[in-house]
Amino acid sequence: MFRLYDRFRNRARADVLPKQTQDTGQDRRIYVDLAYLQSLEARARQLQLLPRQKARSVLSGRHASSLRGRGLNFEELREYWPSDDVRTIDWKVTARTGEPHVRVYSEERDRPALIVVDQRMSMFFGTRHAMKSVTAAEAAALAAFAILEQDDRVGGIVVTDTQLLRQRPQRNRRALTRFLTELARANQALHADAPVAEPTSLDQVLQAVANIARRDHLVLLISDFDVVGPGTERLLSGIARHNDVILVPVVDPSGESVPRSLVSAISDGDQQATLDTRSTDTQNAMDQFNRQRRQIIHDWHLRYGLPVAQLSTGEDTLPQLQRLLGLMPRSARTAQAGKD
């Protein structure tokens, strides 16, 4: 399949960049490094992924199935006290002893989270503001810091075209740094002239998720959901049966509406051709491909009740996450509504 990388990189570099980006010599809308990902920690405090969500959040029950939250551990059986909830009475023990007894539970210490972030070549594309790979990396880092801040374990899987880099959920900064280091390396390895490789299938990704997230995990899948395999839906439904799964499709504005006058070079690393969207046949083929991709994700949302939090490369990542989680200040929401 041909790889589209057109003239975005040159156009992005021509824009006015933040001073810190100019100092490093890299445009952070094209690449991210470890220092930049770590710098997102302060901004991540504006997010929260706890089970109780704002009414406007895509994770609230109004939009999709609510998050399970932390589970309960059985602690003990003891005699009933007047202040106890009668719903906690263990009727079998009560009948056997002749005295009312209740079952006491304590909330589990945390809910482990697994962040799956796509850094395959299909993500190395963008026509406005940032590459999909950058938007995905930013979202993963922000989510990871927010989860660690709420004292939950966090781990991740970085997906490349050649391997899956796994980090099991842990509650410590050293493990999070390892995850961000692998993410930054995978992002830096993306380039238009990379050797052609068979892209990693979602089947492989989801099997790795299933091996780690056995039960009661929060699983964030941040991807363009390219290369759906024959076992993708079966694996996804199995994971969703025992975990909270949030689909985070990363899209480019051109995926919503294909530019009608784009003439660009495309390549698979060995061959090169010209993409000309002035052709009606080319426009229709690309529009159909994008519609099918969106329909697959929408079907998963309806069939399994999975929340969908779509991110666009056309704007900054943090404000999008704030809107999706219902956390954007009223003044900012009003200004955004005016733009829409």
Side-chain angles (χ1 to χ4, degrees):
M1 183 163 181
F2 283 102
R3 189 178 295 162
L4 179 62
Y5 56 88
D6 77 333
R7 296 165 304 214
F8 170 75
R9 294 200 295 172
N10 292 332
R11 186 166 67 249
R13 292 181 192 276
D15 293 338
V16 177
L17 305 180
K19 185 176 186 300
Q20 59 184 359
T21 302
Q22 293 173 346
D23 290 345
T24 63
Q26 278 195 329
D27 186 339
R28 287 177 179 159
R29 291 165 296 182
I30 300 174
Y31 288 110
V32 298
D33 56 24
L34 177 60
Y36 173 64
L37 293 179
Q38 290 178 318
S39 75
L40 298 176
E41 180 175 6
R43 279 174 270 180
R45 297 192 182 101
Q46 302 175 48
L47 304 175
Q48 60 92 3
L49 287 163
L50 293 169
R52 187 178 297 278
Q53 289 286 314
K54 299 280 188 180
R56 294 182 301 272
S57 170
V58 296
L59 308 185
S60 72
R62 189 179 69 173
H63 295 275
S65 59
S66 299
L67 298 186
R68 288 175 174 82
R70 296 168 178 162
L72 298 176
N73 285 324
F74 173 71
E75 290 289 329
E76 62 175 339
L77 276 168
R78 62 165 172 78
E79 294 181 353
Y80 173 81
W81 297 338
S83 59
D84 289 332
D85 188 335
V86 295
R87 290 174 296 183
T88 63
I89 293 178
D90 188 314
W91 295 106
K92 290 184 178 180
V93 175
T94 298
R96 188 167 64 247
T97 62
E99 296 288 339
H101 281 70
V102 295
R103 298 178 70 87
V104 179
Y105 295 89
S106 63
E107 188 176 37
E108 289 178 346
R109 291 184 61 192
D110 70 346
R111 176 189 54 176
L114 187 68
I115 302 173
V116 182
V117 55
D118 194 344
Q119 293 292 293
R120 297 174 298 174
M121 272 304 301
S122 65
M123 299 287 287
F124 193 57
F125 173 73
T127 61
R128 193 186 309 167
H129 185 71
M131 294 291 198
K132 290 194 292 183
S133 52
V134 167
T135 298
E138 290 177 338
L142 287 164
F145 280 121
I147 291 165
L148 190 65
E149 176 71 17
Q150 65 194 38
D151 203 30
D152 284 338
R153 285 178 289 155
V154 62
I157 298 177
V158 179
V159 182
T160 75
D161 284 302
T162 58
Q163 61 182 325
L164 302 176
L165 306 168
R166 302 167 177 85
Q167 173 67 55
R168 289 185 175 273
Q170 297 182 51
R171 194 191 297 105
N172 65 72
R173 188 169 297 276
R174 184 179 301 173
L176 176 55
T177 299
R178 285 198 298 268
F179 170 61
L180 296 180
T181 299
E182 295 291 358
L183 175 54
R185 286 175 180 167
N187 182 270
Q188 292 277 326
L190 294 171
H191 60 90
D193 298 323
V196 180
E198 186 70 24
T200 304
S201 167
L202 280 174
D203 287 5
Q204 297 171 258
V205 176
L206 293 176
Q207 186 58 64
V209 172
N211 291 340
I212 296 175
R214 301 280 185 178
R215 180 176 294 276
D216 298 329
H217 281 61
L218 173 64
V219 180
L220 275 67
L221 299 176
I222 309 173
S223 174
D224 62 359
F225 294 94
D226 190 22
V227 194
V228 175
T232 296
E233 189 156 340
R234 173 183 57 80
L235 288 164
L236 183 62
S237 64
I239 295 168
R241 192 174 301 120
H242 301 293
N243 302 276
D244 288 311
V245 179
I246 302 174
L247 304 177
V248 188
V250 181
V251 302
D252 185 79
S254 65
E256 302 294 324
S257 177
V258 177
R260 297 315 188 201
S261 59
L262 174 67
V263 180
S264 180
I266 58 175
S267 172
D268 64 357
D270 294 323
Q271 304 177 65
Q272 183 168 310
T274 299
L275 174 67
D276 188 351
T277 62
R278 294 174 297 184
S279 164
T280 301
D281 290 342
T282 301
Q283 289 177 16
N284 291 340
M286 294 183 69
D287 283 338
Q288 182 180 7
F289 174 80
N290 289 327
R291 282 196 302 271
Q292 289 174 342
R293 178 83 58 86
R294 291 194 296 268
Q295 188 60 50
I296 289 172
I297 296 171
H298 185 63
D299 287 346
W300 292 341
H301 165 68
L302 294 179
R303 191 168 298 135
Y304 306 115
L306 304 181
V308 176
Q310 180 171 293
L311 296 175
S312 171
T313 64
E315 60 177 303
D316 289 338
T317 305
L318 179 59
Q320 294 186 76
L321 290 173
Q322 289 178 302
R323 284 201 304 273
L324 290 166
L325 295 173
L327 299 172
M328 180 169 281
R330 184 183 297 275
S331 58
R333 294 200 306 271
T334 303
Q336 183 64 36
K339 292 180 182 178
D340 296 341

